Amino acid sequence: MATDPGCCPGCASCLLGLYSCQWAQGKERRKGARATTHDCSWFIFLFCVCLFVLVWLYHALILLNDFHNLNEFLFRQTQWWVDWSLPLLSITALLVTYSALLLVLALCLQLWGQPLGLHCLHKCLLILTALVVAAAFIALDVKWAVEWQSVHISLQATGPFLHIGAVAGVTLLAWPVASYVYRPHHAAPKICLLLVYLGVTATLYLAPLTISSPCIMEESQLPPKPALAGHRGAPMLAPENSLMSLRKAVECDVHVFETDVMVSADGVPFLMHDEKLTRTTNVREVFPARATMNGTAFNWTELQQLDAGSWFLQKRPFPTVQGLSLAEQSQVKRQKILSLQQVLQELQQNNVSLMFDLRPENHTDYQSFVNVTLETILQSGIHPQRILWLPDAFREQVEQQAPGFQQIYGQKRSQNESTSVQRVNLPYQDMSPEEISQYRQDNVSINLYVVNEPWLFSVLWCAGASSVTTNACQVLKEMKRPLWLFPSSTYLMIWIVTDCVSFLLILWAFLLLQKCSRRKEPEGSDNDVLLMKINSLMQE
């Protein structure tokens, strides 16, 4: 039985050479050659590895929202700054490209009736690919397990589009599946493949029953756009916690300046996130013997000797650094460590609120840090309502001395909450869209951090978040509406049309290939013999 669909001999030989390194066949292709069980097993393994790598690519793209946090964490461990998102995406793109091309080769060979003898080099590389991706997932689970929640939230943003993509994928697979079914192989594997294919297809057709997204709603029900809080200012546009960063954040229309406060050895509160000064200043050059000391060990005069801006140009923590003009680069180099008093003066002029954490929490003089910080704020003359007090320690003392401050809590409210919680500040992974909606109904203001990607901002917007802390205020400022918003009736129509079109294309592929296979069957084929036996039995 001739199974060759009549493809170009040169193309088939080239594809076969790339897949199995059998270049010697030339124009003498093995027509009707059957794939062995061993070859089929490796094809299934290739298909699974390709899906595995695609799932990791999806995870890697989701991780980009939080990758700056990982870069900071790794710097504190190694004192070596690298933007690890670049090697991650590069390696992932390489693995996806390799496995996808190999899968396309295999499908083309299957359509053209060629054997699927995968070369041992490809087998080794596929095993290595699977091991690398598995190691990446294990590392994610061990060191960064909170990101699983990010993936769960991302599915609410991408679920409808992943459904369309998956349905398109199984629709394209109808051709190689039908080609295999209509070839003279044993009936058992063909039936198994067909049942698996139809089962997966039916599951995908019904998948929208499990898809829920806060952005499936009428536009009239869309909550107000969340307010923006600048995470240490506008750290993508200027060095974090600097005066330049604060002013850039004001230009982005942020409502709150979010930062971290430490207290110097001589009692001056200043802005600094890390306990050590090595990441964001030139302390190694100015005070090499004391570079690894806590920032609270330096007095204010010493802190003012440090350059708090040049690191931004040297380490390039964000790709946006490349877009700075020469004038902005010159301004970056002049940035110094900011005192809390300077920040309060700047905020008074721009009607922006302040939310801050006080570090380090485990310091023996923490109570004195609270006292001097509180005193600095009260003496600044800023309106108390514009202070969002985040530190938990000695909160009752602060409420007594400054009852006008807005108390914001870094944990969810409990059932037996003794005080009425009006504001919470939480990682976005800790709040499901359902919880956000419930807090909103209870008039509890929710600030979620750190939100940088438009897809994530869109989901939280639809869910009803009050505000978000962001590194990318310049991006989120420009969003006038969520990336997508479907009424339920529109989404239902998209779902039905996608499934119907896919079903018709799959049916057409099977019928067309069945017709082609019948035309190519020679007289006396196995099917003819089977039909003759059936006719004779019916006549008897």
Side-chain angles (χ1 to χ4, degrees):
M1 176 178 176
T3 60
D4 184 11
C7 65
C8 170
C11 293
S13 298
C14 180
L15 294 180
L16 191 61
L18 292 172
Y19 189 81
S20 60
C21 293
Q22 297 178 7
W23 300 94
Q25 287 187 2
K27 295 182 180 181
E28 298 294 330
R29 293 176 297 133
R30 294 184 292 171
K31 295 183 179 181
R34 296 185 181 183
T36 65
T37 304
H38 181 264
D39 293 339
C40 290
S41 299
W42 276 104
F43 173 77
I44 294 173
F45 181 71
L46 167 61
F47 185 79
C48 293
V49 169
C50 190
L51 284 180
F52 195 34
V53 176
L54 284 175
V55 171
W56 172 249
L57 173 63
Y58 179 81
H59 280 71
L61 293 175
I62 298 306
L63 293 177
L64 290 180
N65 182 81
D66 304 316
F67 231 93
H68 185 70
N69 294 341
L70 178 63
N71 291 338
E72 289 185 1
F73 170 77
L74 293 176
F75 176 83
R76 288 192 289 271
Q77 302 299 314
T78 64
Q79 295 299 305
W80 184 36
W81 180 269
V82 175
D83 183 3
W84 293 101
S85 63
L86 297 178
L88 172 78
L89 291 180
S90 300
I91 294 173
T92 301
L94 179 63
L95 296 180
V96 169
T97 302
Y98 171 71
S99 57
L101 287 178
L102 207 56
L103 181 61
V104 170
L105 285 176
L107 293 176
C108 291
L109 290 173
Q110 167 64 21
L111 281 171
W112 290 347
Q114 297 299 303
L116 297 178
L118 187 64
H119 192 268
C120 60
L121 177 62
H122 290 313
K123 294 177 182 178
C124 293
L125 291 176
L126 282 177
I127 293 174
L128 180 62
T129 297
L131 291 176
V132 169
V133 176
F137 274 114
I138 293 172
L140 179 66
D141 186 63
V142 173
K143 295 294 185 181
W144 213 6
V146 69
E147 286 302 314
W148 294 121
Q149 285 297 108
S150 302
V151 174
H152 176 71
I153 295 173
S154 74
L155 291 176
Q156 297 183 323
T158 60
F161 308 99
L162 290 178
H163 167 249
I164 295 173
V167 170
V170 297
T171 303
L172 293 175
L173 286 176
W175 291 91
V177 169
S179 173
Y180 180 81
V181 168
Y182 292 127
R183 286 181 183 166
H185 297 286
H186 295 295
K190 292 194 291 185
I191 293 174
C192 289
L193 176 63
L194 189 59
L195 289 176
V196 170
Y197 177 76
L198 294 178
V200 170
T201 303
T203 301
L204 289 176
Y205 283 173
L206 298 176
L209 292 174
T210 64
I211 295 176
S212 63
S213 173
C215 288
I216 299 178
M217 64 164 64
E218 299 291 336
E219 189 159 2
S220 59
Q221 299 174 327
L222 181 66
K225 179 180 178 180
L228 301 181
H231 187 225
R232 310 172 201 169
M236 287 189 175
L237 306 176
E240 64 182 58
N241 287 330
S242 66
L243 185 60
M244 180 180 179
S245 182
L246 172 56
R247 289 174 175 171
K248 289 284 187 182
V250 171
E251 293 175 4
C252 289
D253 297 331
V254 302
H255 289 67
V256 176
F257 175 57
E258 188 279 337
T259 186
D260 302 275
V261 174
M262 298 177 69
V263 179
S264 68
D266 53 348
V268 178
F270 65 96
L271 270 55
M272 184 63 57
H273 175 267
D274 299 0
E275 292 187 13
K276 297 179 181 179
L277 308 176
T278 51
R279 182 174 64 88
T280 58
T281 72
N282 63 338
V283 67
R284 292 186 183 277
E285 300 173 10
V286 181
F287 303 107
R290 303 167 58 195
T292 58
M293 296 178 65
N294 193 295
T296 57
F298 295 82
N299 61 45
W300 181 240
T301 303
E302 292 170 335
L303 292 172
Q304 285 298 283
Q305 298 178 38
L306 301 178
D307 177 356
S310 296
W311 70 273
F312 188 68
L313 301 176
Q314 297 165 0
K315 295 175 182 176
R316 296 178 179 268
F318 296 99
T320 46
V321 178
Q322 301 175 0
L324 295 179
S325 66
L326 292 177
E328 288 174 324
Q329 292 181 28
S330 177
Q331 186 180 358
V332 164
K333 296 176 182 179
R334 297 194 300 269
Q335 298 306 301
K336 297 291 183 179
I337 293 177
L338 270 183
S339 70
L340 179 59
Q341 183 178 9
Q342 291 173 303
V343 172
L344 294 171
Q345 292 175 352
E346 191 73 21
L347 294 178
Q348 272 188 306
Q349 299 173 9
N350 294 284
N351 197 28
V352 175
S353 298
L354 174 67
M355 178 171 62
F356 67 93
D357 212 346
L358 191 58
R359 299 175 181 272
E361 295 87 348
N362 58 353
H363 199 283
T364 55
D365 293 330
Y366 193 77
Q367 183 171 8
S368 66
F369 291 173
V370 171
N371 293 335
V372 71
T373 301
L374 181 59
E375 183 182 357
T376 301
I377 296 174
L378 294 176
Q379 290 180 353
S380 69
I382 192 171
H383 195 285
Q385 285 291 315
R386 287 167 57 188
I387 300 298
L388 280 64
W389 187 275
L390 186 56
D392 279 326
F394 308 103
R395 188 184 292 271
E396 293 183 359
Q397 170 191 332
V398 173
E399 288 181 311
Q400 292 176 359
Q401 298 186 38
F405 287 1
Q406 298 191 57
Q407 299 294 325
I408 184 167
Y409 294 80
Q411 57 188 7
K412 294 182 181 180
R413 59 181 181 176
S414 60
Q415 295 294 333
N416 55 351
E417 195 76 54
S418 59
T419 59
S420 177
V421 174
Q422 297 297 321
R423 288 179 173 271
V424 293
N425 178 60
L426 296 168
Y428 72 88
Q429 298 98 331
D430 287 359
M431 294 286 286
S432 67
E434 294 77 17
E435 289 177 309
I436 295 173
S437 178
Q438 183 60 51
Y439 273 53
R440 181 168 173 266
Q441 292 178 14
D442 296 341
N443 294 320
V444 177
S445 178
I446 314 158
N447 183 73
L448 301 174
Y449 62 91
V450 172
V451 178
N452 301 319
E453 297 294 330
W455 68 263
L456 178 57
F457 185 68
S458 297
V459 173
L460 300 179
W461 183 347
C462 294
S466 308
S467 59
V468 299
T469 300
T470 180
N471 292 323
C473 60
Q474 77 282 2
V475 176
L476 304 188
K477 170 192 173 183
E478 301 300 327
M479 293 183 63
K480 306 302 181 185
R481 64 192 310 273
L483 291 181
W484 64 270
L485 194 69
F486 294 149
S488 56
S489 58
T490 302
Y491 180 58
L492 179 63
M493 181 184 66
I494 294 173
W495 170 19
I496 294 174
V497 169
T498 299
D499 287 358
C500 289
V501 171
S502 170
F503 176 77
L504 292 175
L505 289 175
I506 291 174
L507 184 63
W508 175 66
F510 272 83
L511 293 176
L512 182 62
L513 287 178
Q514 182 188 39
K515 185 177 181 181
C516 293
S517 65
R518 285 179 176 175
R519 287 180 178 177
K520 294 180 180 180
E521 287 182 354
E523 296 183 0
S525 65
D526 294 341
N527 287 349
D528 291 337
V529 173
L530 181 60
L531 289 173
M532 290 176 62
K533 289 182 178 180
I534 294 174
N535 288 332
S536 62
L537 289 173
M538 292 177 65
Q539 290 174 1
E540 293 178 359

